[in-house]
Amino acid sequence: MKNKTLLIISREYLTRIQKKSFIIITILMPVLLAAMIVLPVLLVQLSESKKFSKVLVVDESEIFINNFTDDKHYSFSYRSGDIEQIKKEAFDQDYDVVLQILANTQSLKSNIYYKKNLPSGLQSDIESQMDDIFFNQLLRDSLHIEMARFENLQNLAKAESVTIQIDDNGGEKEHDAEVNQIFGMMCGIIIYFIIIMFASQVLRGVLEEKSNRIVEVLISSVKPTQLLVGKIVGIALVGLTQLAIWVVLSVGILLGVQVAAPNLFTPDTVETLAETPGVNVPNTAQIDIAPDNIFEMIQNYFTVSFGTIIFSFIFFFVVGYLIYSTLYAATGSVVDNESDSQQYTMPITIPLILAIVFVPTISTNPDGALAFWLSMIPLTSPIAMMVRLPSGVQAWELLLSMGLALAFLVFCIWFAAKVYRIGIMTYGKKPSWGTIFRWLREK
């Protein structure tokens, strides 16, 4: 019996890992993950190395003359006179941009003339400097306050706080709640897609063998329970193999980036990244980033125990997959095609969908009643507990959730074995729920 089960596991495993879809997804996922980490930094560095531009300012309002600040990207010169004549001369003299600031308008208005390509970020930089210069003049003329003094007052009035979590033993640790919430949501969503993807493969595999009558040949040499166990375990090993390859390739790609560009993840680059609009990173004043070390930089994003996270992720992936794959296998055994299976899979899938719908709620209130109970119900706990875990849960909650999931898995295995044994050889009319429950009482 043992050898036959191993043969089925080997067949399911080897058949699936040799598929082109498996190879493509396995390679593509680590590349996308590495790109999410590296691309924002590369974009910042590209913006830092953009072409130097010469800007000629024609200030009709006479407010901004000699007030623009040169930097490593732009230099400003000033002219007055007819704008049409100035434009012709400016572009002949290798100026990249002519900035015309209009007078006698109700608000700050300007025209930016360019001939070839408008330098990236120039418009926003000019508008920002114009706002500061004009505000500085208003402060000086109306309130008789210099901008430097005003900025000092602003800095004094800024509130800055550090979130510190106290554990059960009274220990204190800086804790970035937002980062941990995002990380938890990502873990929950990944668990959801993995469970759906691989459990659906079990369903399709059972349906394919049944519709092609292959199962009749297999049943003649192996027991239905052996076939069920072999299929579920074989696909589970495919999932674990894919996860292991993802981890190895992701680390390898990041190491390759580190070797190829050792200065990519430096403190200066990360500080610039933190100031880039639309890029969300932790406060660089609160984290210690070792130069030239991408992994220390990534580690500084999180303050959770990665040992607990990794163990829990693997546990809930395996148990969650086994729960849903056994139920999906039972569903596939009682119908003849995939369209008919929707009637039976929908009640099973609804809890998983509810869990993913409530992910934002669980993330923002991980200690709430909804989050707690969803993390205890076995059909929703693989997602809900992984969303809660990075924000911190008590050990007894995690252990109780795992225990309930394991107990429910035992029930699912018993239920699936009973249904699969009879349903796999049943064709024609779909059995009712009453008929399925009668199968459970048969020996």
Side-chain angles (χ1 to χ4, degrees):
M1 176 177 177
K2 182 178 180 181
N3 291 335
K4 291 180 179 179
T5 305
L6 291 176
L7 285 173
I8 297 170
I9 293 172
S10 176
R11 171 183 171 272
E12 292 291 335
Y13 179 79
L14 294 175
T15 300
R16 296 178 188 280
I17 65 171
Q18 292 173 0
K19 290 183 177 180
K20 290 182 179 180
S21 58
F22 174 86
I23 298 172
I24 292 172
I25 294 175
T26 302
I27 295 174
L28 188 60
M29 187 63 71
V31 173
L32 293 175
L33 177 62
M36 290 173 60
I37 296 172
V38 175
L39 189 59
V41 182
L42 285 176
L43 291 175
V44 169
Q45 290 205 341
L46 288 174
S47 67
E48 289 292 310
S49 60
K50 58 188 176 183
K51 177 180 175 289
F52 184 81
S53 303
K54 295 170 61 180
V55 182
L56 182 61
V57 180
V58 181
D59 183 12
E60 298 174 0
S61 68
E62 299 183 354
I63 296 174
F64 302 91
I65 296 176
N66 298 323
N67 283 327
F68 283 97
T69 302
D70 296 345
D71 59 23
K72 56 186 176 181
H73 300 309
Y74 315 114
S75 68
F76 295 90
S77 302
Y78 303 86
R79 287 276 300 276
S80 61
D82 179 63
I83 184 64
E84 297 301 327
Q85 182 65 28
I86 291 174
K87 283 191 293 184
K88 292 178 182 179
E89 295 175 358
F91 293 123
D92 291 337
Q93 296 172 7
D94 294 330
Y95 280 96
D96 300 288
V97 172
V98 174
L99 171 63
Q100 179 192 19
I101 302 175
L102 305 177
N104 302 320
T105 59
Q106 293 181 348
S107 59
L108 296 178
K109 292 186 177 180
S110 61
N111 296 322
I112 299 176
Y113 299 96
Y114 64 96
K115 197 168 185 180
K116 294 180 180 179
N117 295 309
L118 184 66
S120 174
L122 181 138
Q123 182 176 356
S124 60
D125 289 347
I126 286 177
E127 291 174 351
S128 177
Q129 286 209 44
M130 288 178 65
D131 290 341
D132 291 341
I133 293 167
F134 190 67
F135 186 67
N136 189 14
Q137 179 170 317
L138 290 176
L139 287 174
R140 188 169 54 248
D141 295 345
S142 301
L143 302 176
H144 308 291
I145 299 176
E146 293 296 331
M147 176 58 80
R149 185 184 176 193
F150 177 78
E151 289 177 349
N152 287 335
L153 292 173
Q154 270 191 320
N155 291 331
L156 289 173
K158 284 182 179 178
E160 187 172 326
S161 59
V162 177
T163 54
I164 301 173
Q165 188 178 37
I166 302 176
D167 59 28
D168 295 336
N169 298 322
E172 297 182 357
K173 188 176 184 180
E174 289 189 21
H175 182 275
D176 194 320
E178 183 178 352
V179 170
N180 283 274
Q181 288 174 7
I182 295 173
F183 185 52
M185 291 175 67
M186 289 176 59
C187 289
I189 292 170
I190 291 171
I191 286 281
Y192 169 79
F193 281 110
I194 289 176
I195 289 175
I196 286 293
M197 180 170 63
F198 289 108
S200 297
Q201 287 186 27
V202 174
L203 173 64
R204 286 192 293 270
V206 172
L207 284 171
E208 182 180 353
E209 291 177 352
K210 184 175 180 179
S211 60
N212 293 337
R213 303 276 179 159
I214 297 175
V215 70
E216 296 178 8
V217 178
L218 295 173
I219 292 299
S220 65
S221 57
V222 297
K223 295 180 179 180
T225 305
Q226 290 178 276
L227 185 60
L228 175 64
V229 171
K231 186 173 292 295
I232 291 173
V233 174
I235 296 176
L237 291 176
V238 172
L240 290 173
T241 301
Q242 199 162 48
L243 282 176
I245 295 174
W246 284 347
V247 171
V248 172
L249 287 182
S250 298
V251 173
I253 291 171
L254 292 176
L255 280 173
V257 171
Q258 181 67 36
V259 172
N263 297 321
L264 184 63
F265 291 89
T266 61
D268 291 339
T269 303
V270 179
E271 287 175 6
T272 305
L273 182 65
E275 297 170 357
T276 304
V279 179
N280 184 24
V281 299
N283 186 351
T284 53
Q286 298 178 16
I287 60 178
D288 180 22
I289 303 173
D292 307 335
N293 194 325
I294 182 174
F295 295 102
E296 286 189 20
M297 192 203 80
I298 296 171
Q299 174 67 32
N300 284 322
Y301 279 83
F302 309 106
T303 57
V304 297
S305 169
F306 277 100
T308 303
I309 291 289
I310 292 171
F311 172 78
S312 300
F313 185 90
I314 294 173
F315 174 87
F316 282 110
F317 157 68
V318 173
V319 174
Y321 159 77
L322 291 175
I323 288 173
Y324 278 91
S325 62
T326 52
L327 295 176
Y328 272 39
T331 299
S333 69
V334 300
V335 295
D336 297 332
N337 55 71
E338 193 165 351
S339 59
D340 290 339
S341 68
Q342 299 299 321
Q343 172 186 343
Y344 300 98
T345 57
M346 185 55 66
I348 302 170
T349 311
I350 283 177
L352 202 62
I353 296 173
L354 286 176
I356 205 70
V357 167
F358 285 116
V359 159
T361 305
I362 298 169
S363 176
T364 54
N365 187 18
D367 295 323
L370 177 65
F372 174 81
W373 287 111
L374 287 178
S375 64
M376 293 299 136
I377 299 172
L379 288 172
T380 57
S381 61
I383 294 175
M385 183 53 78
M386 285 310 305
V387 175
R388 293 183 63 202
L389 193 57
S391 298
V393 296
Q394 296 188 41
W396 70 267
E397 294 183 23
L398 179 60
L399 293 175
L400 178 60
S401 177
M402 290 179 171
L404 291 173
L406 286 173
F408 187 70
L409 173 60
V410 173
F411 166 78
C412 290
I413 293 172
W414 171 80
F415 174 84
K418 285 280 191 178
V419 174
Y420 187 88
R421 180 171 57 88
I422 300 175
I424 198 67
M425 299 302 295
T426 303
Y427 295 92
K429 184 180 178 181
K430 293 184 296 183
S432 64
W433 285 104
T435 301
I436 292 174
F437 286 121
R438 281 198 299 273
W439 292 350
L440 301 179
R441 295 193 295 268
E442 294 186 13
K443 296 183 179 180

